[in-house]
Amino acid sequence: NAGVTQTPKFQVLKTGQSMTLQCAQDMNHNSMYWYRQDPGMGLRLIYYSASEGTTDKGEVPNGYNVSRLNKREFSLRLESAAPSQTSVYFCASSEQYQETQYFGPGTRLLVL
Amino acid sequence: SQQGEEDPQALSIQEGENATMNCSYKTSINNLQWYRQNSGRGLVHLILIRSNEREKHSGRLRVTLDTSKKSSSLLITASRAADTASYFCATALNSGYSTLTFGKGTMLLVSP
């Protein structure tokens, strides 16, 4: 059981470039989440998917898009990266949307 | 403003001492969860306590919930250097369709 996996681990982008962060879980969970973590700000929810086929905006969705590809995979896309998107991104999953969440190891993104 | 806020922001103790962290929240909840984050890693779930529960234990961890005061505490007994981490509370609101809301965390340093 790998749990929640994220790729890549590190990424450096130039302003205006695009990229997709990948997340997969092997626990057959219904709900998946994308967070960003910045110093002093705690975790902020970007988007979530309560169940396969649905996605909803979280607290800070601007500049991001998501795709729930299937029950296992939930990707986060930055269409035109900005320096303000420099952060650590975490994917998480849970059996149901208010229950225990299991986190991936994170992706560290630097936008120059 | 944050739904859940941890107090203190930072705590420094010696090995063998107990560590107590508090979390206050503003609106009615379904459950409250505590997570640990080691430096540079993803969050790890510690305990979930539901709104109709007052206390839960897991190993050296004890969590209390006082819904009348809208507060929770996490007690780590006989702390070890390996307990050094950031600790976050997360609340699941009892209204609408909402995911977890995380606080900004307490940084715990346990010195040998």
Side-chain angles (χ1 to χ4, degrees):
Chain A
N1 246 1
V4 179
T5 57
Q6 292 182 235
T7 54
K9 288 187 169 57
F10 304 96
Q11 185 71 48
V12 179
L13 291 179
K14 294 181 180 177
T15 297
Q17 287 184 319
S18 62
M19 79 163 294
T20 299
L21 283 65
Q22 306 286 354
C23 174
Q25 52 92 7
D26 62 2
M27 295 173 281
N28 201 36
H29 284 168
N30 290 306
S31 302
M32 297 185 74
Y33 314 84
W34 277 106
Y35 294 92
R36 60 178 290 173
Q37 187 176 35
D38 303 292
M41 297 295 291
L43 278 171
R44 292 184 293 170
L45 183 65
I46 305 171
Y47 271 93
Y48 67 99
S49 172
S51 60
E52 187 179 358
T54 69
T55 59
D56 285 284
K57 295 178 181 179
E59 182 185 354
V60 289
N62 290 346
Y64 305 95
N65 283 302
V66 290
S67 296
R68 182 77 183 265
L69 303 169
N70 47 55
K71 193 170 186 181
R72 288 187 64 247
E73 298 172 290
F74 189 37
S75 63
L76 178 71
R77 183 160 178 84
L78 287 69
E79 291 292 350
S80 178
S84 61
Q85 294 178 306
T86 291
S87 188
V88 181
Y89 291 85
F90 289 101
C91 177
S93 70
S94 65
E95 194 167 337
Q96 300 298 336
Y97 78 96
Q98 283 194 333
E99 296 299 312
T100 299
Q101 292 189 11
Y102 296 83
F103 283 78
T107 293
R108 281 143 189 82
L109 176 65
L110 173 62
V111 183
L112 301 174
Chain B
S1 63
Q2 288 286 116
Q3 159 68 353
E5 292 193 11
E6 295 90 344
D7 172 63
Q9 288 187 327
L11 181 60
S12 182
I13 60 174
Q14 301 288 319
E15 264 191 330
E17 294 180 339
N18 295 341
T20 300
M21 288 158 265
N22 302 296
C23 173
S24 60
Y25 58 92
K26 293 178 171 28
T27 57
S28 180
I29 60 171
N30 283 328
N31 70 64
L32 185 145
Q33 303 177 32
W34 285 92
Y35 290 78
R36 182 188 73 230
Q37 183 180 34
N38 292 92
S39 181
R41 304 288 188 95
L43 279 70
V44 174
H45 180 258
L46 297 175
I47 288 185
L48 182 154
I49 186 165
R50 300 195 185 276
S51 60
N52 61 351
E53 298 175 308
R54 292 296 166 257
E55 187 170 313
K56 285 189 85 168
H57 296 255
S58 177
R60 294 183 296 112
L61 306 180
R62 172 179 167 247
V63 168
T64 60
L65 178 64
D66 187 334
T67 53
S68 66
K69 295 181 179 178
K70 291 186 170 58
S71 68
S72 173
S73 67
L74 169 67
L75 168 67
I76 305 173
T77 59
S79 61
R80 306 165 181 169
D83 294 327
T84 293
S86 291
Y87 292 81
F88 295 86
C89 72
T91 50
L93 299 184
N94 186 25
S95 63
Y97 185 73
S98 68
T99 61
L100 297 183
T101 302
F102 285 82
K104 295 182 181 181
T106 292
M107 291 181 60
L108 173 66
L109 174 63
V110 182
S111 302

